[in-house]
Amino acid sequence: MATSQYDNARTGAYLNETRLTPQNVNPKQFGRLFTLKVDGDVYAQPLFLAGVQIPGKGRHDVVFIATEHDSVYAFDAYGNPSTPLWQVSFLKDGASTISAREVECPFIVPEVGITPTPVMDAKSGTLYVLARTEQTHYLTRDFHQKLHALAVTTGVEKFGGPTEIHATVHGQGNGSSGGNVAFEPLRENPRAALLLANGTVYLSWASSCDVGPYHGWLMAYDAHTLQQKAVWNASPDADDSGIWASDTGPAADKDGNVYVATGNGLFDAAGGAYDYGDTFLKLSGQTLKPVDYFAPYNVKELDANDGDLGSGGPMLLPDQPGPHPHLAVVGGKDPLIYVLDRDHLGHYRAAGNTQAVQTIPTVGGIYGSMAYWNHHVYVLSSGDALRDYAVVDGKLMPKAASSFKFADHAATPVVSANGDRNGIVWVVSSKGWNSPSRTAVLHACDAANIGHELYNTDQNSARDRAGSALRFNMPTIVNGHVYVGAKGEVDVYGLLPVKNR
C-alpha cells in the first residue's frame, strides 16, 4: 500500500487479502498481535511495502509510520523484530515541533509535526513526507514546512531534499501584501494525504480551527527533483476555502486530472472570478488550472453556516454503464452525498443541484471519504450507522446499515477482499470534536451484509484494546494484518496463534 486509501481513485479497497475472511475474523480467532510504540501521535495512515532490502538487516515487508513528533519509522510489518529497522527524525539543528498553543487549535495536541499521510513511489524506492517544524532564534520563531524524499531502505534524504514550501499568487485576499498572497507556514495546515501521479507529488492545505489568515492551496512538485511545478490557490481574492478532506486525499484519474473539494469561503467563480469556496474541482494535473467544477446551489448558505463541502474527500468510481460512465462521489457537512459526472460537473446553478447525477441526504456530516468494492459504496456520516449503497446503473441505492453507530463523529471505512470475494469493511471510531480522550475501537463488518458485525476490539477488550483514539484515523489492512494508528502507537491485529485462542 503506497498511498492513502490504496489507490489514486481513493476507493479504500485492498483486493489481495487472502488470509482474512468473514469466516475467521471473529473474537475467537482474530485479535491484537502486538503494538508498535513510537514517539508521537499517529494521524497518518500507515503505509506498506513488501520485500525491502534493509542494509545489514536483510529483506523485510515494511510498515512505515509517521508521527506528530516529526519522526518516520520503518518497522518489520509482522513485528519481528519489534524494534525499528530505521528511524528518522526531522528535529535537527535546534528544530522542534509546533505546539497546539502556537497554532491556536486544540484538535491536534500537544504537538504538530507530520499530520498528512505520506505517499510512496515503490519503483524508485522513495517515501515522500510533508513535515512541519519550528526554529527559534533568540526572541524570534520561524515556522517551516518541508517536503522530504526518503529512501525506503534507510530513511536517507534523496534528490537533494528536503525542499522548503514557498508559494505566492496574485491576489487581494486575506493576508495579501502588494497585490500578492503568500503561503503562510504557521497558519496553513496540511491535513489531506499526499498524492503521487505521473511523476508529480501533490500537496494541499487548509487551516487549524479556521485560524486565519489562511487559504486553500494545492501545489505540485516533481517527484525526482523536488522542484515546484505548479501552484493553485482557492481564494486569491478572498479567504478560507481550505482543502481538509480529514486525512483522505486528493484523487487523480487515468488522464492525470486532480480532484479536490474546498471548504468555506467566497464563491464567485460563476461570475468569472477566481474564488472557489465550497466547491468540488477538477484541475489539470500539469498546470493546476481548474478544468471543471461543481458548486452547490446553496453555496452562500454553506459558507455562512460552516457547512464545509471540503470536510470530505473525493472518491472516483470505476467506469459505470449508462449516460454517466465517469462518476465521483463526495460528501461534506451539509449533510449530503453528491454523485457527480466527472466529464460534466455542471458548474453552479442557482435553482438547485440539478447538474448533479444524484444527491443523497445523510444523517450527519461526512468527515472523510467512502470506500468502494464490488458495486457497493460504504459511508459513515457523523452520528449514524455505517451504510451500504449498491451502485446500480450509475446510481447509489440504499441497501443496508450496521448495527452500531458512531455517536458524535465520523470516519472513513476501508475494505479488504480477495478480488470480488470475502469482503470485509473496516472502520475505526475516532475522538469526537469535544470529547475527552477515548479508546479507539476497530470494527469489522461482512461487506456482503454490513448489518452483520464480525468483530470489534471491545468484545475482548482485555486482550484487544487499542490505544487512545485520534481524529479520522483509517486502518491499513494488508497480508492478514490490520494496522490502527493511535496516540503514541500503532496496534496490529490479525489471526491469533492457535495457543492464544
Side-chain angles (χ1 to χ4, degrees):
M1 177 188 156
T3 191
S4 172
Q5 301 163 271
Y6 294 96
D7 56 41
N8 285 351
R10 307 303 191 189
T11 62
Y14 172 58
L15 302 179
N16 298 304
E17 182 50 64
T18 59
R19 297 190 63 194
L20 302 179
T21 70
Q23 290 70 46
N24 61 26
V25 174
N26 57 63
K28 182 178 180 181
Q29 296 174 267
F30 181 89
R32 188 177 65 183
L33 301 176
F34 56 92
T35 294
L36 300 172
K37 293 291 186 179
V38 291
D39 63 5
D41 297 345
V42 181
Y43 283 80
Q45 189 177 13
L47 300 179
F48 173 92
L49 185 61
V52 180
Q53 187 68 40
I54 306 295
K57 298 181 180 180
R59 187 174 296 272
H60 295 262
D61 290 356
V62 177
V63 60
F64 299 92
I65 299 169
T67 78
E68 293 291 351
H69 197 63
D70 274 324
S71 285
V72 178
Y73 291 80
F75 283 98
D76 181 278
Y78 315 122
N80 185 21
S82 59
T83 55
L85 298 167
W86 57 256
Q87 176 190 356
V88 169
S89 173
F90 301 137
L91 302 182
K92 300 174 182 177
D93 302 321
S96 64
T97 57
I98 304 173
S99 70
R101 175 184 54 80
E102 201 74 67
V103 299
E104 301 179 46
C105 183
F107 290 162
I108 299 177
V109 293
E111 60 184 349
V112 179
I114 304 169
T115 304
T117 299
V119 70
M120 183 162 43
D121 182 359
K123 186 175 181 180
S124 71
T126 309
L127 181 71
Y128 300 93
V129 183
L130 181 58
R132 303 177 67 179
T133 58
E134 175 180 340
Q135 199 88 31
T136 301
H137 302 279
Y138 299 103
L139 298 178
T140 63
R141 293 189 297 274
D142 295 327
F143 301 96
H144 302 272
Q145 297 196 31
K146 295 180 182 181
L147 175 62
H148 300 260
L150 307 181
V152 298
T153 53
T154 61
V156 170
E157 296 273 3
K158 300 178 64 175
F159 311 134
T163 290
E164 183 96 24
I165 305 299
H166 295 292
T168 302
V169 297
H170 295 300
Q172 303 291 334
N174 196 17
S176 64
S177 177
N180 292 305
V181 176
F183 178 81
E184 212 294 313
L186 173 60
R187 294 296 168 223
E188 297 295 339
N189 177 28
R191 189 64 184 93
L194 279 61
L195 169 69
L196 174 64
N198 299 318
T200 302
V201 179
Y202 298 93
L203 315 174
S204 57
W205 288 266
S207 76
S208 300
C209 292
D210 284 317
V211 177
Y214 77 93
H215 300 263
W217 292 87
L218 181 65
M219 302 185 199
Y221 286 81
D222 188 288
H224 300 294
T225 66
L226 302 188
Q227 296 300 303
Q228 189 178 86
K229 297 172 66 176
V231 172
W232 178 72
N233 185 300
S235 53
D237 294 313
D239 57 12
D240 303 359
S241 304
I243 302 168
W244 273 277
S246 307
D247 200 40
T248 66
D253 63 23
K254 61 182 177 58
D255 296 320
N257 298 299
V258 176
Y259 298 81
V260 298
T262 65
N264 298 334
L266 175 68
F267 171 77
D268 59 14
Y274 305 100
D275 302 304
Y276 289 91
D278 289 305
T279 306
F280 179 84
L281 291 116
K282 175 181 180 179
L283 303 107
S284 163
Q286 292 299 312
T287 65
L288 296 185
K289 292 182 178 179
V291 174
D292 200 357
Y293 73 86
F294 163 84
Y297 78 96
N298 60 339
V299 64
K300 290 184 179 179
E301 178 184 333
L302 295 180
D303 180 29
N305 297 328
D306 191 33
D308 301 274
L309 177 59
S311 69
M315 181 177 70
L316 312 184
L317 296 185
D319 289 0
Q320 299 294 316
H324 306 288
H326 304 134
L327 294 175
V329 292
V330 69
K333 295 181 185 178
D334 197 17
L336 285 173
I337 297 171
Y338 299 92
V339 183
L340 305 172
D341 185 334
R342 304 197 315 260
D343 297 325
H344 305 283
L345 290 174
H347 293 194
Y348 169 77
R349 298 181 185 178
N353 292 324
T354 55
Q355 73 276 45
V357 174
Q358 194 178 10
T359 57
I360 304 168
T362 55
V363 169
I366 294 173
Y367 299 87
S369 190
M370 307 164 209
Y372 174 89
W373 175 73
N374 206 24
H375 307 291
H376 289 264
V377 169
Y378 305 94
V379 60
L380 181 68
S381 68
S382 184
D384 195 18
L386 176 67
R387 295 193 178 271
D388 172 10
Y389 293 87
V391 183
V392 180
D393 295 328
K395 295 286 187 71
L396 271 58
M397 306 297 179
K399 180 183 177 185
S402 67
S403 58
F404 59 85
K405 292 184 177 182
F406 283 9
D408 63 351
H409 50 293
T412 298
V414 297
V415 176
S416 66
N418 185 4
D420 62 359
R421 297 181 294 115
N422 293 328
I424 300 173
V425 184
W426 306 82
V427 65
V428 176
S429 68
S430 64
K431 182 180 178 182
W433 291 111
N434 298 306
S435 65
S437 179
R438 66 177 73 175
T439 300
V441 180
L442 172 67
H443 297 262
C445 295
D446 187 340
N449 173 21
I450 63 171
H452 178 205
E453 185 177 14
L454 305 170
Y455 167 86
N456 71 65
T457 50
D458 278 350
Q459 290 170 329
N460 188 341
S461 61
R463 181 192 68 197
D464 295 344
R465 183 181 297 273
S468 296
L470 302 171
R471 284 188 175 82
F472 313 133
N473 286 58
M474 287 179 283
T476 297
I477 301 92
V478 63
N479 286 0
H481 291 71
V482 180
Y483 301 85
V484 178
K487 192 169 186 63
E489 65 189 58
V490 170
D491 297 291
V492 186
Y493 297 82
L495 297 176
L496 298 167
V498 173
K499 64 180 180 180
N500 293 345
R501 296 177 182 176

